[in-house]
Amino acid sequence: MRTVHVDLGERSYPIYIGSGLLPQAGAYLIKHGLSAKSPHLIVTDDKVAPHHLDVLKSSLEEAGFRLVVSVVKSGEGSKSLQVFEEVMTSAIQGGLDRNSSVIALGGGVVGDLAGFVAATYMRGIAFIQMPTTILAHDSSVGGKVAVNHPLAKNMIGAFHQPEFVLYDLNTLMTLPPREVSAGLAEMVKHGLIRDAAFAYWCKDHAADLLALDLDALGYGLERGVAIKADVVSQDEREGGLRAILNLGHTIGHAIEAVAGYGEFLHGEAISIGMAGSALLAEALGRGGELHKETTAMLKALNLPVVLPDHLSEDDLMAAMMHDKKFKENTMVFIVPDAIGAVSIVKDIPQQLVRDILKQLRKGGETHV
Amino acid sequence: MRTVHVDLGERSYPIYIGSGLLPQAGAYLIKHGLSAKSPHLIVTDDKVAPHHLDVLKSSLEEAGFRLVVSVVKSGEGSKSLQVFEEVMTSAIQGGLDRNSSVIALGGGVVGDLAGFVAATYMRGIAFIQMPTTILAHDSSVGGKVAVNHPLAKNMIGAFHQPEFVLYDLNTLMTLPPREVSAGLAEMVKHGLIRDAAFAYWCKDHAADLLALDLDALGYGLERGVAIKADVVSQDEREGGLRAILNLGHTIGHAIEAVAGYGEFLHGEAISIGMAGSALLAEALGRGGELHKETTAMLKALNLPVVLPDHLSEDDLMAAMMHDKKFKENTMVFIVPDAIGAVSIVKDIPQQLVRDILKQLRKGGETHV
Ligand SMILES: NC(=O)c1ccc[n+]([C@@H]2O[C@H](COP(=O)([O-])OP(=O)(O)OC[C@H]3O[C@@H](n4cnc5c(N)ncnc54)[C@H](O)[C@@H]3O)[C@@H](O)[C@H]2O)c1
Ligand SMILES: NC(=O)c1ccc[n+]([C@@H]2O[C@H](COP(=O)([O-])OP(=O)(O)OC[C@H]3O[C@@H](n4cnc5c(N)ncnc54)[C@H](O)[C@@H]3O)[C@@H](O)[C@H]2O)c1
Ligand SMILES: [Zn+2]
Ligand SMILES: [Zn+2]
């Protein structure tokens, strides 16, 4: 088993990564001092539940915990205020009190939703993440929790750190291949922003990662989580540095919004976004091989790197102007300096972004 | 002008109390570093707006601030997730960003609702309280913000401290007399828990307070706010001490819930609750004059001290058992030791509480 410590003062917590951890969940709750006198709420979704809920329930019940379970529909649609209220109803009817916890068993959707419930139920109770997707190696670190507003993603949320994260690699075996690749997009992103060797490792071990080899997954998730934890512990509330985690996300979020949520997985959208960031870097004169190197890594992980024709530049630009990352109408981008290093660049001209979108549509072929 | 500092480390903030402060609101926002480049959201209700919104808007606009205004319906019904979502919609459509603030102009309802919007919009932006009720001298200190769930009050919330509180006594002149008395219930509560001299001062100056005399109001609110601030700064997250602020609230909340929200004002319900706590104290052998002394203070402020007949003991007991202040099914009460001092007493037998309710229905006459 691998353990990564997220260093956040009194809000520090460990991330346990290994195979076969879910059947030991009860022992982990006890180890972390959770009270068996209070009920605990498991939030999961209807695609995760059939595979993994019983294992978790048995382990917790054997350890003496009383459980309330809320199974939401799989998909981004569950990150809504309506589903949030339904989960709150389960929590109240189940008698959760201040010593209770909310346990997220699932991917980023369940983690963000359950985390926002934990952050706000009685003004905040304990939260435990049990991620079941590769993408959730990203979403389970940093304490960002949220639901969506019909007008904008992740608009309603909080910072709420978990007590601990229990990452059982075995749960990943049931993940559909497209979800595997999408999750690996965030993994390689962590290499691209802070660790060139890790980015190249992801490319070199792409086949193992895609085949869900336990050793490769364990190492990749440990490094991915450690890089994110390092950034977050230097900037818990997103004052500055933390923004580098948004590499590829400005364009990526616009793609998700314009295509309509569902057509692209988040990881796929940011993969195209990272290809775009590499083009932007080159346009700003930061080395000629960035786009080629970046897209080679992404393609090795079966990820898309070309902007599809049906997403218009006007729509994408409009979506970006709405993006909350634009402070006071200036455009901010995370721009690679090299593989493994990025800068936060303010005041990128809108026209340049438009040009990049054009190039990105042609897979970067037109750039000089 | 009087200033009370709430001492919470890096979350410390001042409360400005005085008459004629609202027309200077713009200067206060500038003084506290709020950016005129970002829009700011005023949340108020339809009973406060006709009297005080224009004054606030003019002051802020003259100081160069762009405003978004959300006027909700007056009353506890606006502390709902539905109204919360509507205010969020205004915030998003108005283009609020991370440098924006949410300004609550109103009583505790508007403060709690707007504060929860501020706590969760983009995971938290600046919050400013401009209280317009006497009760809000309580709700504007301590950072507790929340909306109600259909099954339970204040169930969904956060801790989110304001940047500052601007308390213009002139706004109180339009307050209906019943709201004046209800607000004074929390003021005398602050005396009852920590400061006997202040509790007696409230009784002695009851006529001035009820007549909204500016000197009496200014002093009373300053002391009330200072006592609350002192308790809160010793226990920001309600780990222990802060519970003393709930004197009278266990019975009070049950009365509100059983009567149906609206019949009793919060201050009226806790007034009866404080009379009940005094009876409980006597039953536990803590001095024979507590009930007489306490009710004399409350009656001087035109507050009720007798449990009405139509609220059954069974219903009240059931409501109390649901109250979130019961950890793991034990009953906790805040019990006076004397005027000006209270203890947190755990494991109060349910039967004793039932007896107290019976006495309280008769105005305490039957106690020995
Ligand atoms: N909080 C953060 O810091 C952060 C960071 C990145 C992303 N996110 C959020 O995460 C979400 C995306 O996360 P995600 O990709 O994990 O989405 P997800 O939770 O929707 O999971 C993806 C799909 O896989 C299914 N699934 C999950 N685990 C499975 C398993 N073990 N076996 C079979 N199927 C399984 C789910 O039901 C879903 O259909 C987005 O809402 C995004 O905003 C949050
Ligand atoms: N956050 C906390 O720590 C805390 C503490 C105590 C109470 N509260 C909450 O506060 C709320 C009660 O506060 P409240 O009594 O101020 O209620 P309120 O905001 O509903 O105001 C009472 C009534 O007076 C009206 N009003 C307000 N200011 C006015 C003015 N200047 N002129 C004319 N009318 C005016 C309002 O429209 C309303 O009808 C409850 O929801 C309670 O849960 C919160
Ligand atoms: Zn992401
Ligand atoms: Zn109160």
Side-chain angles (χ1 to χ4, degrees), chain B residues 135 138 186 189 228 245-247 249 253 256 266-267 270:
Chain B
L135 190 130
D138 180 15
E186 299 275 10
K189 179 197 78 180
K228 173 136 190 200
L245 296 167
N246 290 324
L247 177 68
H249 279 58
H253 284 158
E256 287 180 272
H266 175 69
I270 66 154

Side-chain angles (χ1 to χ4, degrees), chain A residues 329-340:
Chain A
N329 292 327
T330 59
M331 292 189 98
V332 185
F333 268 86
I334 312 304
V335 183
D337 300 317
I339 299 294

Side-chain angles (χ1 to χ4, degrees), chain A residues 43-367:
Chain A
V43 181
T44 187
D45 76 30
D46 59 9
K47 287 198 181 156
V48 176
H51 298 299
H52 307 294
L53 179 58
D54 284 347
V55 175
L56 176 58
K57 277 175 67 176
S58 305
S59 171
L60 294 177
E61 279 167 354
E62 274 163 33
F65 290 98
R66 269 183 304 136
L67 301 175
V68 181
V69 179
S70 177
V71 182
V72 304
K73 257 182 98 228
S74 158
E76 188 72 24
S78 286
K79 267 176 64 175
S80 68
L81 276 180
Q82 286 63 43
V83 177
F84 168 77
E85 183 164 13
E86 285 164 32
V87 178
M88 278 286 174
T89 304
S90 307
I92 297 171
Q93 286 175 337
L96 265 73
D97 62 35
R98 291 190 180 165
N99 297 322
S100 299
S101 70
V102 179
I103 302 167
L105 175 72
V109 164
V110 161
D112 282 10
L113 169 69
F116 190 52
V117 170
T120 55
Y121 185 79
M122 290 182 171
R123 301 194 180 87
I125 62 173
F127 176 41
I128 298 165
Q129 294 252 38
M130 305 198 179
T132 66
T133 65
I134 295 176
L135 190 129
H137 88 276
D138 180 14
S139 59
S140 64
V141 184
K144 278 190 180 183
V145 296
V147 296
N148 302 324
H149 184 281
L151 297 175
K153 230 180 100 93
N154 292 330
M155 208 58 165
I156 303 173
F159 287 90
H160 193 61
Q161 304 296 342
E163 301 299 308
F164 65 95
V165 178
L166 195 72
Y167 213 143
D168 186 344
L169 301 177
N170 291 357
T171 63
L172 303 174
M173 301 304 136
T174 55
L175 208 54
R178 238 183 107 187
E179 298 290 348
V180 171
S181 287
L184 293 171
E186 300 274 11
M187 186 186 283
V188 76
K189 180 198 79 180
H190 290 126
L192 288 171
I193 60 174
R194 296 278 269 195
D195 184 342
F198 179 54
Y200 285 108
W201 179 93
C202 290
K203 186 175 90 173
D204 296 343
H205 293 77
D208 292 340
L209 289 167
L210 291 171
L212 299 172
D213 172 79
L214 284 179
D215 286 337
L217 270 185
Y219 177 75
L221 292 174
E222 179 186 9
R223 278 302 301 147
V225 157
I227 292 168
K228 173 135 189 199
D230 180 49
V231 172
V232 166
S233 63
Q234 288 176 55
D235 177 20
E236 186 177 359
R237 302 294 300 241
E238 198 155 21
L241 178 70
R242 189 161 173 163
I244 69 172
L245 297 167
N246 289 325
L247 177 69
H249 279 59
T250 302
I251 293 174
H253 283 158
I255 292 174
E256 287 181 272
V258 173
Y261 293 111
E263 182 182 338
F264 288 90
L265 297 179
H266 176 68
E268 293 167 345
I270 67 153
S271 175
I272 301 171
M274 289 189 284
S277 310
L279 288 174
L280 182 58
E282 293 187 15
L284 295 170
R286 306 183 175 208
E289 297 291 294
L290 270 173
H291 180 260
K292 205 179 122 200
E293 292 285 307
T294 304
T295 54
M297 290 168 180
L298 296 167
K299 284 194 274 190
L301 298 167
N302 289 343
L303 287 161
V305 295
V306 178
L307 185 64
D309 279 333
H310 65 290
L311 306 180
S312 88
E313 277 130 49
D314 285 345
D315 289 349
L316 292 168
M317 291 302 293
M320 280 188 247
M321 296 312 295
H322 265 98
D323 193 299
K324 62 190 168 176
K325 273 180 289 298
F326 298 117
K327 276 199 186 174
E328 301 166 359
N329 292 327
T330 59
M331 292 189 98
V332 185
F333 268 86
I334 312 304
V335 183
D337 300 317
I339 299 294
V342 293
S343 304
I344 304 170
V345 183
K346 294 180 176 153
D347 299 314
I348 299 269
Q350 285 189 35
Q351 188 52 49
L352 177 56
V353 179
R354 239 175 224 283
D355 291 348
I356 297 300
L357 292 179
K358 284 209 184 78
Q359 293 177 28
L360 193 54
R361 199 182 293 293
K362 300 182 176 146
E365 279 163 33
T366 60
H367 79 283

